[in-house]
């Protein structure tokens, strides 16, 4: 006989009772959190990999409890089924919580417990809310606490987000190296402190952009091992209260298999429950890369400035009209957006640092803010690097004539003549060139200071772009 469907159900918790619309798989504790926290408009369901990470933890815990004969087989199978539904990306709309929430993540943990429980209840042939058959706390949350489930899920979610991050960083490095190859022979002036320095090529400049990011790609290799150290099994404060013997090793073994990662237990579960240092380290790494990306974006904006009254050494592919009042103006919108994304990541790092500092004793209640800003930084920087590579780097072209003109008419070229003429003479020539507007080359020729052969050698690209074997004096 088919079950009678009702439009709403009454659920009860520590604070009393509430009516929950029966379309919802979440329950009373999630409903209270929805009512309490409407702060950022950034919802838990915007981070599906975090929900999937929570499902992995719940599935691993259920397996450990089943192996220890604490969870009946029908309950275990139902919980596994529900978790698999979440891993397939289903029921995302049932996670409506604001990412910013009080309670150290308890609301998020209970959201997962309630949704998994009600999916499982329907799988078992019962109705939502019939918790006498399967309970969100007693069964789905068995041997667990928010304080070990939540940070473990954050780590797994960060590991997942780092996979896409690595792809986008690698692609951007490849894009910069490819651009360096196409620009390898374009001679230009290098600059220090915004002043003419010595010649280089655009290829060298772009290769340097790739090289500084390659350093961060190498550093990325060491981050997963740090995130794989979890406090699962420590329950409330790391002592493992209410978790039976052998639960921890069984749960971690199951989580390793489910997540396809080599999960390990933290060496000190009490320390791991309260310490946010690993998240600070990851955020600091993201800030480092963001800072480099912003510097590269700044350089591209300057190099493309103009087109007539700026440096105008490179062309950025035009992306959109640049002004509502100035016809023909095209702005470097992609590097500007890269700058802004980097600024947000840098600001998030400060937020994460302050939140990590705000923990007291055996728990940090600010973990939801840390998770929110960490995921935001990972996602934002990944998307920004993809945009930067595809919509800016790949379309860059050199203004070869302008680059060459800047070299030939720069006073900075005098540096290449310093080994031949001496510092005092080259200083005098530089001042004279600046005063008269004549080129350095014209002054050297006027005074007959060097033969054409020596002058051509000194100013050859081969001589100026790398250390010479010997000086042709």
């Amino acid at each position: 006989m088919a079950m009678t469907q009702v439009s709403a159900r009454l659920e009860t918790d520590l604070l009393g009772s509430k009516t929950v619309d029966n379309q919802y798989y979440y329950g009373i504790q999630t409903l209270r959190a929805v009512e309490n926290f409407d702060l950022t408009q950034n919802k838990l369901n915007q981070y599906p990999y975090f929900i999937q990470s929570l499902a992995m933890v719940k599935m691993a815990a259920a397996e450990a409890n089943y192996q220890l004969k604490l969870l009946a087989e029908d309950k275990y199978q139902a919980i596994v089924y529900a978790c698999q539904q979440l891993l397939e990306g289903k029921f995302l709309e049932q996670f409506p919580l604001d990412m910013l929430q009080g309670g150290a993540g308890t609301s998020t943990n209970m959201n997962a417990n309630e949704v998994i429980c009600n999916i499982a209840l329907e799988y078992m042939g019962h109705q939502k809310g019939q918790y006498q058959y399967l309970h969100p706390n007693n069964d789905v949350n068995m041997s667990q606490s928010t304080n070990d489930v939540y940070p473990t899920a954050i780590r797994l979610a960060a590991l997942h987000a780092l996979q896409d991050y690595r792809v986008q960083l690698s692609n951007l490095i490849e894009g910069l190296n490819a651009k360096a190859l196409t620009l390898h022979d374009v001679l230009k002036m290098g600059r220090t402190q915004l002043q003419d320095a010595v010649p280089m090529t655009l290829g060298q400049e772009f290769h340097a952009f790739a090289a500084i990011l390659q350093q961060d790609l190498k550093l990325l290799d060491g981050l997963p091992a740090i995130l794989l150290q979890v406090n699962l099994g420590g329950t409330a404060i790391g002592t493992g209260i209410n978790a039976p013997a052998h639960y921890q090793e069984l749960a971690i073994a199951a989580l390793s298999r489910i997540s396809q990662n080599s999960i390990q237990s933290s060496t000190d579960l009490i320390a791991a429950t309260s310490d946010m240092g690993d998240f600070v380290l990851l955020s600091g790494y993201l800030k480092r890369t963001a800072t480099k990306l912003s510097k590269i974006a700044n350089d591209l904006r300057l190099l493309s400035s103009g087109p007539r009254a700026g440096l105008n050494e490179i062309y950025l592919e035009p992306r959109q009209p640049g002004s509502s009042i100035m016809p023909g103006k095209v702005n470097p919108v992609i590097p500007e957006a890269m700058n802004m994304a980097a600024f947000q990541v840098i600001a998030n790092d400060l937020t994460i640092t302050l939140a990590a500092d705000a923990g007291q004793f055996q728990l940090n209640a600010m973990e939801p803010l840390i998770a929110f800003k960490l995921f935001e930084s990972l996602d934002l920087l990944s998307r920004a690097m993809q945009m930067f590579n595809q919509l800016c780097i790949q379309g860059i072209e050199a203004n070869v004539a302008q680059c060459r003109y800047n070299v030939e008419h720069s006073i900075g070229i005098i540096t290449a003549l310093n080994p031949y003429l001496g510092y005092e003479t080259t200083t005098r020539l530089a001042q004279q060139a600046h005063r008269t507007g004549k080129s350095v080359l014209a002054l050297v020729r006027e005074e007959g200071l060097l033969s054409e052969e020596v002058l051509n050698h000194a100013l050859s690209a081969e001589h100026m772009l790398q250390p010479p074997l010997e000086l042709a004096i």
Side-chain angles (χ1 to χ4, degrees):
M1 185 174 66
M3 294 182 296
T4 302
Q5 296 297 320
V6 294
S7 61
R9 62 186 188 270
L10 189 67
E11 292 197 13
T12 303
D13 65 3
L14 172 68
L15 301 184
S17 299
K18 270 187 173 295
T19 299
V20 181
D21 193 304
N22 226 29
Q23 67 177 308
Y24 299 134
Y25 282 81
Y26 57 77
I28 184 172
Q29 292 202 43
T30 302
L31 186 59
R32 290 194 191 280
V34 169
E35 294 171 349
N36 286 335
F37 310 119
D38 185 16
L39 298 171
T40 69
Q41 300 303 307
N42 287 272
K43 306 302 183 183
L44 185 57
N45 54 37
Q46 293 174 232
Y47 302 93
Y49 52 83
F50 188 31
I51 295 171
Q52 291 169 341
S53 296
L54 286 163
M56 290 180 191
V57 175
K58 295 297 176 180
M59 187 186 294
E63 180 174 321
N65 287 318
Y66 173 66
Q67 289 178 325
L68 292 168
K69 303 186 184 308
L70 298 175
L71 194 63
E73 184 173 358
D74 61 335
K75 291 183 176 183
Y76 165 62
Q77 295 293 349
I79 291 173
V80 168
Y81 169 81
C83 290
Q84 287 173 336
Q85 298 300 296
L86 298 184
L87 291 176
E88 292 174 9
K90 300 175 182 177
F91 297 97
L92 284 178
E93 74 283 356
Q94 300 300 321
F95 293 84
L97 297 185
D98 198 297
M99 285 295 291
L100 200 59
Q101 54 187 254
T106 297
S107 297
T108 293
N109 185 35
M110 284 308 303
N111 192 175
N113 288 334
E114 290 172 342
V115 171
I116 290 169
C117 185
N118 283 307
I119 295 172
L121 281 170
E122 289 187 339
Y123 175 80
M124 296 170 74
H126 305 296
Q127 293 188 14
K128 301 185 191 76
Q130 291 187 326
Y131 296 142
Q132 67 269 32
Y133 301 109
L134 186 74
H135 198 276
N137 294 82
N138 298 338
D139 297 314
V140 181
N141 199 61
M142 181 184 291
S143 305
Q144 304 154 62
S145 164
T146 296
N147 303 346
D148 62 342
V149 167
Y150 192 71
T152 298
I154 294 174
R155 289 170 180 270
L156 288 177
L159 281 167
H160 176 88
L162 278 174
Q163 294 176 10
D164 183 56
Y165 180 91
R166 177 187 288 277
V167 170
Q168 300 306 332
L169 179 56
S170 297
N171 289 344
L172 178 56
I173 292 169
E174 290 176 8
L176 288 165
N177 276 324
K179 188 59 59 175
L181 286 175
T182 66
L183 303 175
H184 75 279
D185 59 349
V186 180
L187 194 65
K188 59 156 286 177
M189 279 305 295
R191 297 175 178 89
T192 59
Q193 297 168 272
L194 298 179
Q195 307 299 306
D196 296 355
V198 296
M200 65 185 304
T201 68
L202 268 175
Q204 289 175 318
E205 194 161 24
F206 276 77
H207 186 270
F209 292 156
I212 63 174
L213 294 177
Q214 185 68 43
Q215 296 170 355
D216 286 21
L217 184 62
K218 186 176 181 180
L219 286 175
L220 184 58
D221 293 337
L223 293 177
I226 296 170
L227 293 172
L228 289 169
Q229 302 281 331
V230 305
N231 69 326
L232 186 63
T235 64
I237 66 169
T239 60
I241 190 172
N242 291 350
H246 307 299
Y247 164 81
Q248 183 191 18
E249 54 262 41
L250 290 173
I252 288 179
L255 186 58
S256 295
R257 190 189 70 257
I258 293 167
S259 69
Q260 298 182 343
N261 287 295
S262 298
I263 308 294
Q264 296 181 1
S265 175
S266 299
T267 55
D268 188 314
L269 296 182
I270 293 177
T273 303
S274 62
D275 178 39
M276 301 292 105
D278 291 346
F279 300 136
V280 173
L281 179 64
L282 175 55
S283 178
Y285 164 81
L286 297 175
K287 179 182 73 172
R288 170 189 163 115
T289 305
T291 302
K292 294 182 177 187
L293 290 167
S294 185
K295 189 269 182 189
I296 294 170
N298 286 337
D299 285 355
L300 296 183
R301 290 167 62 200
L302 287 170
L303 290 172
S304 65
S305 60
R308 299 293 175 83
L311 297 181
N312 194 27
E313 292 187 346
I314 62 172
Y315 301 117
L316 301 183
E317 190 173 356
R319 284 291 161 188
Q320 61 190 66
S323 174
S324 62
I325 189 174
M326 292 173 279
K329 190 170 185 288
V330 178
N331 296 326
V333 292
I334 303 302
E336 288 170 351
M338 183 70 257
N339 281 133
M340 288 185 277
F343 300 160
Q344 183 63 61
V345 171
I346 293 167
N348 286 352
D349 179 65
L350 176 58
T351 300
I352 290 169
T353 302
L354 293 172
D357 176 63
Q360 298 90 26
F361 302 120
Q362 280 68 59
L363 183 66
N364 189 308
M366 310 301 162
E367 280 186 70
L369 178 59
I370 292 173
F372 171 32
K373 290 303 175 182
L374 194 59
F375 298 156
E376 183 180 66
S377 289
L378 282 162
D379 288 353
L380 178 58
L381 211 52
S382 293
R383 292 195 300 272
M385 287 190 293
Q386 183 179 33
M387 170 201 71
F388 200 34
N389 182 34
Q390 294 179 354
L391 302 185
C392 180
I393 302 302
Q394 293 183 13
I396 288 174
E397 295 181 4
N399 185 343
V400 179
Q402 185 64 44
C403 288
R404 189 76 193 187
Y405 177 88
N406 288 342
V407 172
E408 292 177 352
H409 290 80
S410 171
I411 296 174
I413 203 172
I414 197 71
T415 303
L417 304 179
N418 188 44
Y420 302 87
L421 299 176
Y423 190 80
E424 291 184 0
T425 299
T426 52
T427 299
R428 176 180 62 79
L429 290 171
Q431 292 173 333
Q432 189 175 351
H434 183 70
R435 185 174 62 253
T436 64
K438 294 183 178 181
S439 72
V440 168
L441 302 184
L443 292 174
V444 170
R445 289 187 175 108
E446 283 180 10
E447 298 187 23
L449 297 175
L450 292 173
S451 68
E452 283 299 317
E453 181 182 0
V454 173
L455 190 59
N456 289 335
H457 175 78
L459 299 180
S460 66
E462 180 182 3
H463 176 78
M464 290 192 294
L465 300 180
Q466 60 187 4
L469 297 177
E470 60 181 351
L471 296 177
I473 300 177

